Amino acid sequence: MKVIVHIGMPKCGSTTIQNWLNENAEALAARGIAYDNASMPGYPVTIAHQGIKICQNDLLGAVVENPTIRRAHNIFSLEDQRRFARKFSEYFGNLVRKRKESTFVVSSEYLGANTKTPKGVRALESWLGQYFDDIRYLVYFRRQEDWLASSYSERIKRGVTQTLSEMIEGDAKQNWFRRAAIWGNTVGDDRVDVRLLEPDFLIGGDLLEDFANRIGTTAEGLATPQRQNESLTAAGAEYLRVVNTQIDHTVDNGRRVNPQKIAIRRALLQQTLKLPKIKLDAAQVAQVREVNATGNAKLRDRFFPDREELFPPRPVSDTNGPALRAEDVATVALDVMLALQGRDSTKEPQSA
């Protein structure tokens, strides 16, 4: 059986792809494509195909990095991880053997974001080779100025207090060529399908249509999932950033997200949907494009030789949003407080 491993990069459509796979698993099976989130009974799903990442780390001799995954799987040592990896490997092998389809699909942003060395790629190859005789990889890259805006929203939702300008100063350089080359140099470029999240590149100008094509089918006749993990608006992000400086992001010694934060974040997303999204201004876009120019040129030369420019520049009007004003943030804050007050007022009073 062939396996196509979507090594998802954060903020590059992984959630959309995984929701689509989950919603259409039965229909895809009828087309000869198997998808299973491989969630072993008794363990919560925190990240898609997390068991595969744990097994990769087991072969590397390093405890899995994500603290949420460690807690969810009772992994506090290499021996704990080894025990889980053995159980999961047996479970996954039985799962694959029962499938009759010709292609199996794996999708995990944790594999993409945290496999940064040839040794990591070889460990994943070794583990997958137990179950599949043909292993292929698929990755999407997003232009850095858009990635930074989306990543900033995600970081603010996770409790970060830095401003967008501060994040750009530290993280403007995102070398996609280096990420792709690690895989290509290890397994061969012919087994790494590198794609761009650009409308003029994607088949049909659509991520899901493009992904369907790459795994051997079409999106026609399949369900389109509702959007999830929406980005914050510019005003919403600034309000939540200030909240992050005043309220702890986690409680119970870091074991769970503060319920106050969850309520505020949900209210923000509901109350600010129609406001302008986070965007870099013209000077920031120019800065980001300059520091990534060399890496992007190398990626184009190696994987897209027929493309004139990896990420063609866009008109300034497409990248400049309206100036963020203090009164805009204040209005968002008031709307959120009223929304939270209205929600609380609908609750039944608790008896003493």
Side-chain angles (χ1 to χ4, degrees), residues 6 9 26 39 61 73 113 137 149 167 177 208 245 252 262 264:
H6 170 226
M9 297 299 296
E26 187 174 339
S39 175
H73 297 80
Y137 299 95
M167 176 187 161
F177 170 73
L208 293 179
T245 68
D252 297 340
I262 295 174
I264 291 171

Side-chain angles (χ1 to χ4, degrees), residues 73-91:
H73 297 80
N74 298 315
I75 295 173
F76 304 103
S77 68
L78 285 172
E79 186 54 39
D80 293 337
Q81 183 167 266
R82 173 59 53 85
R83 281 193 292 268
F84 177 84
R86 287 171 178 164
K87 288 172 60 179
F88 181 82
S89 295
E90 181 180 0
Y91 167 79

Side-chain angles (χ1 to χ4, degrees), residues 281-341:
D281 62 31
Q284 291 169 333
V285 170
Q287 174 188 354
V288 171
R289 291 182 66 84
E290 181 179 1
V291 300
N292 288 294
T294 299
N296 285 348
K298 289 181 177 179
L299 187 64
R300 178 203 61 202
D301 292 345
R302 179 161 172 174
F303 293 96
F304 310 98
D306 296 331
R307 193 170 175 84
E308 184 174 346
E309 189 165 4
L310 193 72
F311 300 120
R314 297 180 301 204
V316 173
S317 59
D318 284 350
T319 56
N320 271 341
L324 181 60
R325 303 174 303 171
E327 50 264 43
D328 297 330
V329 180
T331 299
V332 166
L334 178 60
D335 289 344
V336 169
M337 286 189 288
L338 290 173
L340 291 172
Q341 186 179 48

Side-chain angles (χ1 to χ4, degrees), residues 6 21 56 147 151 161 191 242 271 291 317:
H6 170 226
L21 287 167
Q56 179 193 32
W147 182 89
S151 182
T161 60
R191 289 174 53 203
V242 175
Q271 298 297 317
V291 300
S317 59

Side-chain angles (χ1 to χ4, degrees), residues 103-139:
T103 300
F104 195 99
V105 175
V106 167
S107 175
S108 176
E109 62 272 31
Y110 203 27
L111 289 172
N114 292 282
T115 303
K116 300 178 181 179
T117 65
K119 187 177 180 181
V121 175
R122 288 192 291 270
L124 181 60
E125 277 268 298
S126 175
W127 189 84
L128 291 170
Q130 300 173 90
Y131 315 105
F132 306 103
D133 51 23
D134 186 2
I135 306 170
R136 306 282 166 164
Y137 299 95
L138 170 63
V139 62

Side-chain angles (χ1 to χ4, degrees), residues 20-272:
W20 181 81
L21 287 167
N22 277 312
E23 288 195 24
N24 294 289
E26 187 174 339
L28 287 169
R31 301 182 184 190
I33 299 168
Y35 176 76
D36 192 299
N37 65 16
S39 175
M40 197 159 65
Y43 295 91
V45 178
T46 57
I47 294 176
H49 285 124
Q50 56 200 10
I52 297 177
K53 176 58 182 170
I54 293 172
C55 290
Q56 179 193 32
N57 270 59
D58 176 58
L59 291 176
L60 289 170
V63 173
V64 70
E65 302 91 340
N66 189 294
T68 302
I69 289 182
R70 290 200 301 268
R71 288 193 298 268
H73 297 80
N74 298 315
I75 295 173
F76 304 103
S77 68
L78 285 172
E79 186 54 39
D80 293 337
Q81 183 167 266
R82 173 59 53 85
R83 281 193 292 268
F84 177 84
R86 287 171 178 164
K87 288 172 60 179
F88 181 82
S89 295
E90 181 180 0
Y91 167 79
F92 189 81
N94 290 332
L95 185 156
V96 171
R97 282 189 287 272
K98 292 177 182 177
R99 303 302 301 233
K100 305 301 182 185
E101 298 84 354
S102 59
T103 300
F104 195 99
V105 175
V106 167
S107 175
S108 176
E109 62 272 31
Y110 203 27
L111 289 172
N114 292 282
T115 303
K116 300 178 181 179
T117 65
K119 187 177 180 181
V121 175
R122 288 192 291 270
L124 181 60
E125 277 268 298
S126 175
W127 189 84
L128 291 170
Q130 300 173 90
Y131 315 105
F132 306 103
D133 51 23
D134 186 2
I135 306 170
R136 306 282 166 164
Y137 299 95
L138 170 63
V139 62
Y140 286 88
F141 290 115
R142 187 178 189 178
R143 63 170 63 212
Q144 286 90 349
E145 56 263 40
D146 290 351
W147 182 89
L148 283 160
S150 183
S151 182
Y152 181 69
S153 171
E154 188 66 26
R155 294 186 195 191
I156 293 297
K157 287 192 283 186
R158 293 179 182 274
V160 167
T161 60
Q162 66 183 161
T163 65
L164 178 60
S165 295
E166 289 169 342
M167 176 187 161
I168 292 171
E169 283 302 315
D171 294 326
K173 189 171 183 178
Q174 296 294 323
N175 194 330
W176 300 152
F177 170 73
R178 183 178 299 164
R179 291 298 189 96
I182 286 170
W183 295 87
N185 291 345
T186 307
V187 305
D189 288 358
D190 60 320
R191 289 174 53 203
V192 184
D193 190 359
V194 183
R195 310 293 291 171
L196 302 177
L197 273 176
E198 290 286 297
D200 72 318
F201 179 86
L202 296 170
I203 293 174
D206 179 76
L207 171 61
L208 293 179
E209 186 60 55
D210 191 87
F211 181 81
N213 174 271
R214 307 321 288 175
I215 64 172
T217 186
T218 173
E220 185 177 357
L222 300 179
T224 300
Q226 291 186 335
R227 286 183 60 86
Q228 294 187 20
N229 200 20
E230 290 279 0
S231 293
L232 294 167
T233 64
E238 179 57 18
Y239 171 65
L240 186 55
R241 187 189 71 80
V242 175
V243 169
N244 289 343
T245 68
Q246 305 298 316
I247 301 176
D248 290 337
H249 186 65
T250 59
V251 294
D252 297 340
N253 293 321
R255 285 194 290 271
R256 62 189 182 97
V257 177
N258 189 333
Q260 284 184 290
K261 281 290 193 69
I262 295 174
I264 291 171
R265 190 172 65 198
R266 287 175 178 168
L268 269 173
L269 291 171
Q270 292 170 356
Q271 298 297 317
T272 65

